[in-house]
């Protein structure tokens, strides 16, 4: 899969395409079509179920997208949320300075100052990618979108969902009976006026984050009640010093200086990718950020990376950030309102562990990782947790009452499954269409539905087909989807059905 | 319920409160807390399941919030999406002119021109509500939030979700095999720079809409395949002429000049409120908008209204809008790109029927309609479709292993139910807390869990309790929630459990 193929596939098959397309698009904004939206919702729901399920004190909240200027004063975004820009002295285009260097020299320049970047540009003789003009100026631009509210109050579209939980922490500490840890999650939009949005939906100006902010007692950072369950579990780490992937038991990760509370959550993140998203092991790693790369307030910072050849290899799809008390302290100072809590018979400022995921990047990754070409068409081998549909139902032909019978089957199945009905085209074409969006099973209703009371069930991955009695269909499909039986055991194996001649 | 009580209840019980609260708030922006978010998600999911279930050709999409300026040029928002403003010549405050008249004279002034409003202000001697100064100027302001993207491209935060489906229509017409009707739904944020946001979450500057845009063949506006199912169903209508609620069979509504395709969807909307949201009949009506009130492009327009005493009576929570070809024609003209389709052997411009719902208003309404005070506390009698939790599990006391046993019960139930675990406080307090957020059933695990292998199940509405065998618990709860058995039949009736003395 390369990026041009992804672009074409996503457009043609209803996943995503540029926003406001008929007006030439708006760089950095994408719309999800009907299949993309289903996949995205599925990812969000799987994420919600898994991460909020880690602790019964973890909840989702929904803060507003636009917040008071002071929220972002306190967080440091008004002053510090800037990107380095190199401006072409010939065509005037502003480029993200570290990105043009990255493209040119194939290494990371994240976290460098404008002065450092300017030096590399001069040394290597890097020119404007648009017109080959000279890049004389390198400076910073704030990436937030300001919004003027009412008669002149300044707000900002949030550049990350995280601040919502921070300013809402104390209300929830009271509501949730003054206990720690508390987890407050937001699944929602964030907005950044990127200089150079690119790579389709993986670097946009409007994007969806799924973040979980965990507020905990810092004196317990070397504890976790669930530790026994993970201590022998092996993490796939790419430490900054070693610059290669090593498999490290959680227990041994502690000796690398990563706190136990942090390691436990790394294990859960990795299990999410392996067990729920079914990502192949060698396509996943945690990458440690160097001191220069990570924000100064992140005491420990490992990115979650997936191997995405269309983007050039391992790329960030999330991160685990130990933000300490940086955020709550900032708000306490600017709002002049104590954020400390009384818990475990002490008064203190909670620390924050952030699990942060780019939803669009993960959706993109799920397409790429599960995409397979078979001749002139594609199959998405999506796991059950994110496949837009579990089952599709078709009539073999649109006559002799088969369409009505098929619709009856569909109406029964949709009660218990994510089901879709189709009757527009040949069976072969309908199979292909479902394969392309990753539908697990196709049920075809043919003439035997009346005589023998059975239907054909076809498996997406093996393309094999079996006959299943109508009365057993929901039960059998449930077992197949839950992985309790193998497809060969689901019914009587048959050759692909062909339309009967009348 | 009055608005002050709603405000207090929503804040105290984790439903919603002003955004950026610690910085004095930002007028027109609210954050949903953990209970409010659960309720909102449930409403959104119930809406999605119900309305997308009306036709297998109805799908959700996710267009970006920020769109190209031209999208809103074509839609008419850049030029026409304005509100009338009365400015105080003393304190300078800008007020929404029709709203201050409404507050002062208790009638609707929606849709009046600035000139008409100025005349009423002068005639009635209406003054500035803030300082009693004179309201000399009345003019219009555009309500959209402009956003400058990249190096100077103009975009807008969408003031309605509807334009997303319109500009994405053709792609989906192709994707969905060139058939009509097609339904494209968006559940997402919209943004309006209201002059006077007010009434808590019911008139905000950032709010959530759930909208379904149905594209259909206008020559079939007097048809619907499902007509037989609704023709004798009675709608609760408040026609503009009669100005009172009348119950009218769908069949008879046709004679009032409402097209059949429109009436069928009205019936489905009403059934959503009665059958899914369990709204009492007398709290619901469709109100016909007068020619002055409705947008010029809406050929037929009935608002969906619920009776909300906290806001003064029947208030709009949604609407059914027959927008004809206004929107597609606008985009065809400005983008110079044909929006016509070839279907039913003709080439034509599809018409649009819009089902539009304010999610925040509906969530607010669900709280108000289901709120009941019992002494010093409240119960939310929410229907199963939107109650944040279906079941809560507690240990009777946090010792003798009861907490572990309760957690086991919780882990089993959470697989099939929206379940929550609590162990912080007396049983009585935990019951109250669940009543306040509308949890249907509370399961208390006491000392009999080991001896008799049973637990107490308590009903939110009747407060009655029964003993249920552990092995039957999931099955019994399922039947209770699905309304298949009455609570009295669920197990052996008992008096409220009291902590055993040790």
């Amino acid at each position: 899969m390369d990026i041009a193929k992804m672009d074409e596939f996503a457009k043609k098959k209803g996943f995503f395409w540029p926003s406001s397309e008929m007006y030439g698009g708006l760089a950095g904004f994408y719309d999800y079509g009907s299949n993309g939206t289903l996949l995205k919702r599925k990812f969000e729901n799987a994420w919600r179920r898994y991460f909020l399920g880690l602790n019964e004190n973890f909840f989702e909240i929904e803060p507003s997208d636009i917040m008071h200027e002071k929220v972002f004063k306190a967080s440091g975004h008004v002053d510090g949320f800037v990107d380095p820009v190199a401006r072409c002295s010939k065509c005037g285009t502003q480029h993200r300075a570290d990105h043009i260097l990255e493209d040119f020299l194939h290494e990371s320049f994240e976290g460098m100052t404008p002065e450092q970047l300017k030096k590399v540009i001069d040394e290597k003789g890097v020119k404007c990618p648009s017109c080959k003009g000279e890049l004389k100026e390198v400076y910073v631009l704030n990436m937030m979108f300001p919004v003027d509210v009412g008669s002149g109050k300044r707000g900002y579209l949030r550049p990350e969902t995280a601040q919502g939980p921070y300013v809402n922490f104390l209300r929830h500490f009271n509501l949730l009976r003054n206990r720690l840890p508390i987890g407050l999650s937001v699944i929602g939009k964030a907005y950044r006026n990127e200089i150079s949005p690119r790579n389709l939906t993986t670097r946009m100006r409007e994007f969806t984050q799924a973040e979980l902010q965990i507020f905990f007692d810092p004196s317990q950072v070397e504890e976790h009640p669930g530790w026994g369950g993970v201590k022998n579990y092996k993490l796939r780490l790419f430490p900054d010093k070693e610059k290669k992937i090593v498999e490290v038991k959680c227990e041994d990760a502690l000796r690398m200086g990563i706190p136990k509370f942090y390691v436990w959550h790394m294990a859960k993140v990795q299990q999410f990718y392996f067990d729920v998203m079914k990502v192949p092991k060698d396509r996943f790693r945690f990458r440690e950020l160097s001191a220069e790369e990570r924000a100064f307030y992140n005491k420990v910072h490992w990115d979650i990376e997936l191997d995405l050849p269309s983007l050039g290899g391992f790329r960030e799809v999330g991160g685990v950030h130990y933000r300490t008390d940086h955020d709550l302290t900032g708000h306490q100072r600017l709002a002049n309102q104590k954020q400390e809590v009384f818990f475990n018979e002490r008064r203190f400022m909670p620390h924050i562990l952030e699990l942060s995921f780019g939803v669009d990047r993960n959706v993109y990754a799920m397409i790429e990782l599960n995409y397979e070409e078979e001749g002139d068409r594609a199959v998405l081998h999506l796991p059950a947790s994110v496949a837009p549909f579990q089952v599709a139902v078709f009539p073999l032909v649109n006559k002799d009452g088969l369409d009505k019978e098929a619709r009856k089957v569909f109406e029964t199945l949709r009660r218990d499954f994510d089901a879709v009905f189709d009757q527009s085209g040949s069976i072969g074409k309908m199979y292909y269409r479902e394969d392309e969006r990753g539908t697990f099973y196709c049920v075809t209703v043919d003439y035997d539905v009346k005589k023998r009371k059975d239907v054909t069930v076809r498996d997406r991955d093996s393309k094999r087909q079996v006959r299943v009695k109508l009365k057993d269909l929901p039960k059998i499909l449930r077992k197949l989807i839950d992985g309790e039986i193998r497809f060969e055991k689901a019914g009587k194996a048959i050759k692909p059905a062909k339309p009967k001649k009348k």
Side-chain angles (χ1 to χ4, degrees), chain A residues 51-118:
Chain A
F51 286 100
L52 298 187
L54 293 180
N55 186 315
E56 67 262 7
N57 225 18
F58 288 2
F59 288 97
E60 185 180 357
I61 64 171
E62 189 182 300
S64 62
D65 295 354
I66 295 171
M67 298 180 88
H68 198 293
E69 172 174 35
K70 284 194 177 164
V71 171
F72 303 108
K73 273 272 187 199
S75 69
H77 286 94
V78 170
D79 299 318
F81 193 60
V82 293
D83 259 356
V85 174
R87 190 190 162 87
C88 172
S89 57
K90 193 169 145 200
C91 70
T93 309
Q94 298 185 117
H95 302 279
R96 179 85 185 254
D98 51 344
H99 287 181
I100 40 175
L101 284 181
E102 204 178 303
D103 288 347
F104 196 76
L105 301 165
H106 304 289
E107 45 180 304
S108 173
F109 292 86
E110 225 177 295
M112 278 200 176
T113 64
E115 293 70 33
Q116 291 170 322
L117 292 165
K118 181 73 174 78

Side-chain angles (χ1 to χ4, degrees), chain A residues 47 52 59-63 165 183-187 210-213:
Chain A
W47 189 95
L52 298 187
F59 288 97
E60 185 180 357
I61 64 171
E62 189 182 300
L184 297 179
S185 157
V186 177
I187 301 175
E211 296 193 316
L212 175 63
Q213 311 296 328

Side-chain angles (χ1 to χ4, degrees), chain A residues 186-205:
Chain A
V186 177
I187 301 175
K189 292 285 180 78
Y191 308 81
R192 296 179 184 176
N193 202 358
E194 295 276 356
I195 311 302
S196 324
R198 56 181 185 167
N199 291 341
L200 308 179
T201 54
T202 67
R203 188 174 289 273
M204 294 195 285
R205 287 174 165 146

Side-chain angles (χ1 to χ4, degrees), chain A residues 195-434:
Chain A
I195 311 302
S196 324
R198 56 181 185 167
N199 291 341
L200 308 179
T201 54
T202 67
R203 188 174 289 273
M204 294 195 285
R205 287 174 165 146
E206 173 185 330
F207 55 102
T208 302
Q209 292 187 312
E211 296 193 316
L212 175 63
Q213 311 296 328
I214 305 166
F215 302 82
F216 67 97
D217 177 349
S219 79
Q220 301 189 337
V221 71
E222 290 301 345
E223 297 172 32
H224 196 288
W227 182 251
V230 305
K231 66 180 181 183
N232 290 315
Y233 182 75
K234 280 185 184 166
L235 299 172
R236 286 177 60 83
L237 304 179
F238 187 90
D240 183 47
K241 270 186 200 163
E242 305 179 43
K243 295 260 189 295
K244 65 169 190 183
I245 294 174
V246 289
E247 294 217 346
V248 178
K249 274 190 189 174
C250 284
E251 212 163 32
D252 298 328
L254 301 182
R255 258 172 261 136
M256 296 166 68
I258 320 179
K260 190 180 272 188
F261 192 76
Y262 188 104
V263 173
W264 187 85
H265 286 93
M266 286 177 102
K268 292 296 149 186
V269 166
Q270 184 173 304
Q271 286 169 354
F272 173 71
Y273 280 98
F274 289 173
D275 304 341
V276 183
M277 292 297 133
K278 310 285 186 196
V279 168
K281 295 217 159 138
D282 59 346
R283 311 292 291 269
F284 176 95
R285 73 182 190 191
F286 285 108
R287 185 173 77 84
E288 186 182 19
L289 267 68
S290 66
E292 298 81 55
E293 284 176 310
R294 66 177 187 255
F296 73 91
Y297 50 80
N298 276 337
K299 199 166 166 181
V300 189
H301 181 161
W302 293 75
D303 273 348
I304 303 159
E305 294 192 335
L306 295 176
D307 179 22
L308 302 171
S310 77
L311 303 178
F314 275 100
R315 284 298 177 273
E316 176 196 358
V317 295
V320 183
H321 313 135
Y322 181 12
R323 300 175 70 127
T324 70
D325 62 358
H326 168 75
D327 305 282
L328 291 181
T329 304
H331 289 299
Q332 170 168 294
R333 196 183 306 123
L334 196 66
N336 198 16
Q337 185 186 305
K338 279 272 180 236
Q339 298 297 304
E340 290 175 348
V341 299
F342 188 80
F343 179 67
N344 280 343
E345 295 171 22
R346 292 181 305 118
R347 180 165 296 281
F348 60 89
M349 189 72 90
H351 276 201
I352 290 167
L353 180 70
E354 174 184 65
L355 310 185
S356 174
F357 297 75
V359 173
D360 311 279
R361 290 180 182 184
N362 277 282
V363 166
Y364 181 101
M366 290 315 290
I367 297 175
E368 175 161 356
L369 292 173
N370 292 289
Y371 178 90
E372 191 195 9
E373 270 177 38
E374 296 189 351
D376 60 343
R377 65 197 191 86
V379 183
L380 276 190
H381 298 283
L382 294 169
S385 49
V386 295
F389 291 106
Q390 297 168 321
V391 52
V393 181
F394 325 129
L396 179 67
V397 288
N398 280 311
K399 55 183 184 183
D400 303 328
L402 288 190
D403 43 347
K404 273 191 188 161
E405 290 293 328
R407 199 174 288 268
K408 265 197 257 172
V409 173
F410 166 66
E411 292 296 341
T412 308
L413 292 181
R414 76 190 297 187
R415 278 179 228 148
D416 298 316
F417 301 94
D418 298 317
V420 63
F421 182 80
D422 196 359
Q423 57 177 34
S424 63
S426 71
I427 289 296
K429 275 195 183 162
M430 292 195 287
Y431 282 157
Y432 285 9
R433 222 138 43 196
E434 297 308 326

Side-chain angles (χ1 to χ4, degrees), chain A residues 1 4-17 21 31-39 367 371-373 376-380 382 388-389 428-439:
Chain A
M1 177 71 98
K5 185 169 282 176
M6 174 64 101
D7 192 17
E8 192 200 333
F9 179 74
K11 269 183 186 152
K12 208 166 149 190
K13 300 305 173 187
F15 288 94
F16 54 77
W17 45 74
E21 206 184 11
D31 290 354
Y32 283 92
S34 54
N35 286 329
T37 303
L38 281 162
L39 176 53
I367 297 175
Y371 178 90
E372 191 195 9
E373 270 177 38
D376 60 343
R377 65 197 191 86
V379 183
L380 276 190
L382 294 169
F389 291 106
K429 275 195 183 162
M430 292 195 287
Y431 282 157
Y432 285 9
R433 222 138 43 196
E434 297 308 326
D435 288 347
E436 282 164 352
R437 59 176 163 187
T439 306

